[in-house]
Amino acid sequence: MTIFGQVLIFLTIWTYMKNNLKYIAISVIFVMACLFAYQCWWLIRMYRNEVAKTESAVRTALRTSDFNEMAIRLRKISEQNADLGLKGDIVVGAGYGEDGTSILHTSATQYRMDTLSENLDKGAKGLTTISKTTKSVVKKQSEDGAGRSDMFFESLENMSLQVVRGIHTGIDAVDADMDFRLFDSLLVVYLKEAGLDGRHRVALMSGADSLAHNDDTSVENREMKERRVISTEGYIPSSKAVSFEYCFNAQESAMYKLWIEPVGRVVLRQMSGILAASVLILMVLVAVFCYLIHVIRTLKSLDEMKSDFTNNMTHELKTPISVAYAANDALLNFPDGDSPELRRKYLEISRSQLENLSGLVEQVLSMSMERRKGLVLHKEDIGLSGLVYDIVGKHSMKAEKPTSFTVEIPEEMTVSADRLHLSNVLNNLLDNAMKYSGESVDICISADKERIEVSDNGNGISEHDLLHIFEKFYRAHTGNVHDVKGYGLGLYYVKSIVEKHGWSISAYSEPGKGTAFVINLK
């Protein structure tokens, strides 16, 4: 399955189930499980094929090493006999028997000796022939088409093997002294070509005197004994070692037996690149799917928060407008003998609500400007103590519950900040302290050269909410407090302005014991 196909499946699922995150997650997990299962199946199948291929290469190494040793020995025999005036031929024949299911095999070694005087005087040649006929039975296959095809190829392979064994038998009739060390050296080369490390144990095995006398008793009916053994230095086959056997003569009375460690580790090492790439691709796909799920959840949460924001913002903006409208309406409908005190009271109410409305609009505009990275601060040296006392005075006047303020700020302390935005930051922190509290609240504002802290003894914030309170549109759960209005921009605005000044802010809270916001000025 290609990545394009996976993405197409995901988009289809998203199109039909975009309103239900649970179904999307289940679909993604199902697709990932299918992909993982297919990849595991493919890797296991590849591993088994490679193991079979390597084991086949080991068997081929045995046959090839034997054939090359035999060829080298034959060349040496030819060179030695040429010096003695001996000339010889090895004749090998193989074919099906009368029953059509067996292979008849004939091998003969002929050699003759010519001397110069015999050629000149008599023209005669001495001829000696040693011949051997054996019969190798091949199991009869099924008579259907597939069986006949399998029978043909298996018989053809068996016949070629018998031909090689016949050659081996013929050469052994001339010179039975096999070069076992040469065979072992060739075997190491071919094992390394197959990707193995060459550590092995190999034995030349036969029945009693079978190598010398070409006994007809087969390997199944003869007790095989180790005649010669060569092992890689320091190598002792473990209990998991596997063995390979190769009968090399026509009578199947002698063979090579090889012990090596299981090839599985070698195959895994050869497949390490593919395995690493597969794992990496799987991890990337899992990461992509997890990220997509995260994005979907985020978009869904944002959509819900925007809806809440619109509703809350409408309510928040409507309240000061309604109050100011009512106050102005009362002024317009005063009787002729209006009271200056009453008129002043209504005007103060209108101004207070308009200031509240201005602050709300300022926050929204500030968020928009911050998003565009176009917010410009007009910094100046501000006497922090005087600013805080002014803010505390306003909050004391509009407090709807018993509220006490404690200010612990040196009178001479100044900070370089934007007066408007710093005032909004402190207003937000004090406003939250008053909102999220019980029937009364004690608020403390303290500061020094390194920090400004606003703490209270209110309801506190849960550990979960504390991780998200500075996020845009996020509102902490208020439990039984249902009259707290807002749209989740206040603390986000506070954090944005504080960071715009080059400061940082953190919050510490314990449910039921209060909250502390600390602005670090350094």
Side-chain angles (χ1 to χ4, degrees):
M1 184 182 296
T2 64
I3 295 179
F4 175 77
Q6 297 165 20
V7 172
L8 185 59
I9 292 175
F10 180 80
L11 290 177
T12 303
I13 295 171
W14 167 245
T15 301
Y16 287 99
M17 295 180 294
K18 61 182 179 180
N19 293 323
N20 198 321
L21 186 61
K22 180 178 70 174
Y23 291 140
I24 296 175
I26 292 174
S27 301
V28 169
I29 293 173
F30 175 75
V31 171
M32 290 299 301
C34 292
L35 178 64
F36 178 74
Y38 172 78
Q39 194 166 12
C40 288
W41 174 82
W42 181 77
L43 289 173
I44 291 173
R45 183 181 178 185
M46 183 179 183
Y47 169 77
R48 290 176 177 172
N49 289 339
E50 289 298 321
V51 168
K53 187 185 297 183
T54 304
E55 290 179 346
S56 176
V58 173
R59 296 186 182 92
T60 302
L62 281 170
R63 292 195 296 269
T64 306
S65 300
D66 174 68
F67 186 85
N68 287 341
E69 183 277 331
M70 182 175 58
I72 294 173
R73 182 152 46 100
L74 179 61
R75 186 172 60 191
K76 290 181 179 179
I77 293 172
S78 299
E79 291 174 353
Q80 292 172 357
N81 290 344
D83 295 337
L84 299 175
L86 290 172
K87 298 181 180 179
D89 299 302
I90 297 176
V91 180
V92 178
Y96 287 108
E98 294 180 356
D99 56 6
T101 61
S102 63
I103 295 177
L104 290 176
H105 171 270
T106 302
S107 64
T109 303
Q110 300 176 343
Y111 62 91
R112 59 181 179 270
M113 178 179 286
D114 295 335
T115 62
L116 183 59
S117 59
E118 288 176 334
N119 289 335
L120 292 175
D121 299 338
K122 301 179 181 180
K125 299 181 181 180
L127 179 64
T128 301
T129 301
I130 302 174
S131 62
K132 191 76 173 181
T133 302
T134 60
K135 181 178 180 181
S136 301
V137 178
V138 179
K139 293 182 180 179
K140 191 171 183 179
Q141 306 293 328
S142 169
E143 293 302 325
D144 58 12
R148 288 195 296 271
S149 177
D150 293 341
M151 174 181 172
F152 172 77
F153 287 110
E154 185 175 342
S155 299
L156 185 62
E157 182 180 357
N158 192 282
M159 184 182 295
S160 65
L161 178 61
Q162 293 296 335
V163 169
V164 174
R165 288 177 176 176
I167 296 174
H168 204 298
T169 302
I171 295 174
D172 288 343
V174 178
D175 182 6
D177 188 16
M178 292 179 292
D179 192 341
F180 188 51
R181 290 194 173 277
L182 175 60
F183 168 82
D184 179 69
S185 299
L186 293 170
L187 180 62
V188 171
V189 172
Y190 291 122
L191 288 178
K192 290 185 176 180
E193 286 182 357
L196 303 175
D197 58 8
R199 298 172 67 251
H200 70 288
R201 182 179 186 271
V202 63
L204 174 60
M205 306 182 70
S206 67
D209 301 326
S210 64
L211 291 178
H213 299 94
N214 291 327
D215 199 329
D216 285 334
T217 305
S218 66
V219 66
E220 290 85 359
N221 301 320
R222 177 179 295 278
E223 181 181 356
M224 307 296 286
K225 295 183 179 180
E226 293 183 355
R227 303 299 179 181
R228 303 175 193 173
V229 177
I230 295 179
S231 181
T232 304
E233 184 177 357
Y235 174 70
I236 300 176
S238 67
S239 59
K240 296 181 179 180
V242 293
S243 61
F244 299 84
E245 298 177 352
Y246 172 63
C247 295
F248 55 79
N249 65 350
Q251 295 79 22
E252 297 185 358
S253 59
M255 69 178 181
Y256 292 113
K257 189 169 184 179
L258 171 68
W259 289 268
I260 61 173
E261 295 305 307
V263 300
R265 291 184 179 180
V266 176
V267 172
L268 287 176
R269 187 168 61 249
Q270 294 172 346
M271 291 176 59
S272 59
I274 296 176
L275 291 174
S278 299
V279 171
L280 181 61
I281 291 173
L282 185 62
M283 291 175 62
V284 169
L285 289 177
V286 170
V288 168
F289 277 125
C290 290
Y291 176 73
L292 289 175
I293 290 295
H294 172 71
V295 169
I296 293 172
R297 291 186 61 185
T298 302
L299 291 175
K300 187 176 181 180
S301 298
L302 285 175
D303 184 62
E304 293 174 353
M305 287 189 292
K306 286 182 178 179
S307 297
D308 293 340
F309 166 73
T310 302
N311 295 332
N312 291 327
M313 182 180 64
T314 302
H315 179 80
E316 288 288 319
L317 295 178
K318 183 179 180 180
T319 299
I321 293 174
S322 299
V323 174
Y325 177 83
N328 281 283
D329 186 63
L331 288 174
L332 289 175
N333 292 291
F334 271 164
D336 294 338
D338 58 329
S339 170
E341 293 181 1
L342 193 57
R343 183 170 56 246
R344 181 178 180 84
K345 178 182 178 181
Y346 286 136
L347 290 174
E348 287 290 343
I349 291 174
S350 297
R351 185 177 70 175
S352 175
Q353 293 302 318
L354 289 173
E355 286 179 355
N356 187 20
L357 179 61
S358 177
L360 294 175
V361 174
E362 182 67 28
Q363 288 187 27
V364 175
L365 291 177
S366 295
M367 292 303 98
S368 178
M369 294 173 66
E370 174 64 18
R371 187 175 181 180
R372 295 183 179 89
K373 304 300 179 183
L375 179 63
V376 178
L377 299 178
H378 301 284
K379 291 186 178 181
E380 58 180 299
D381 290 334
I382 302 171
L384 186 60
S385 177
L387 179 64
V388 170
Y389 275 114
D390 288 343
I391 294 172
V392 167
K394 293 179 180 179
H395 280 274
S396 298
M397 291 178 61
K398 70 175 185 178
E400 298 178 355
K401 65 177 73 174
T403 305
S404 64
F405 294 91
T406 302
V407 180
E408 298 176 355
I409 302 175
E411 293 185 2
E412 69 280 2
M413 180 178 176
T414 60
V415 292
S416 177
D418 185 296
R419 180 180 293 273
L420 174 63
H421 289 294
L422 181 58
S423 298
N424 287 337
V425 166
L426 296 175
N427 274 316
N428 270 284
L429 295 179
L430 294 179
D431 191 52
N432 282 343
M434 297 173 67
K435 284 181 179 179
Y436 299 96
S437 60
E439 296 180 356
S440 64
V441 61
D442 296 326
I443 302 174
C444 177
I445 306 100
S446 60
D448 55 33
K449 293 182 179 180
E450 296 184 353
R451 48 183 276 285
I452 301 173
E453 180 175 339
V454 178
S455 59
D456 63 68
N457 63 343
N459 298 332
I461 305 172
S462 68
E463 184 177 353
H464 174 267
D465 288 330
L466 202 60
L467 298 173
H468 304 282
I469 56 174
F470 293 111
E471 294 178 5
K472 197 172 186 179
F473 303 125
Y474 186 83
R475 295 194 66 200
H477 299 289
T478 58
N480 294 326
V481 181
H482 302 287
D483 58 344
V484 177
K485 304 297 188 298
Y487 39 83
L489 279 178
L491 290 178
Y492 176 76
Y493 167 80
V494 168
K495 187 174 186 293
S496 300
I497 295 301
V498 167
E499 291 180 348
K500 197 71 175 180
H501 279 82
W503 306 332
S504 64
I505 185 170
S506 54
Y508 307 92
S509 184
E510 185 175 351
K513 294 187 178 180
T515 305
F517 289 91
V518 179
I519 300 173
N520 298 296
L521 304 177
K522 297 295 184 180

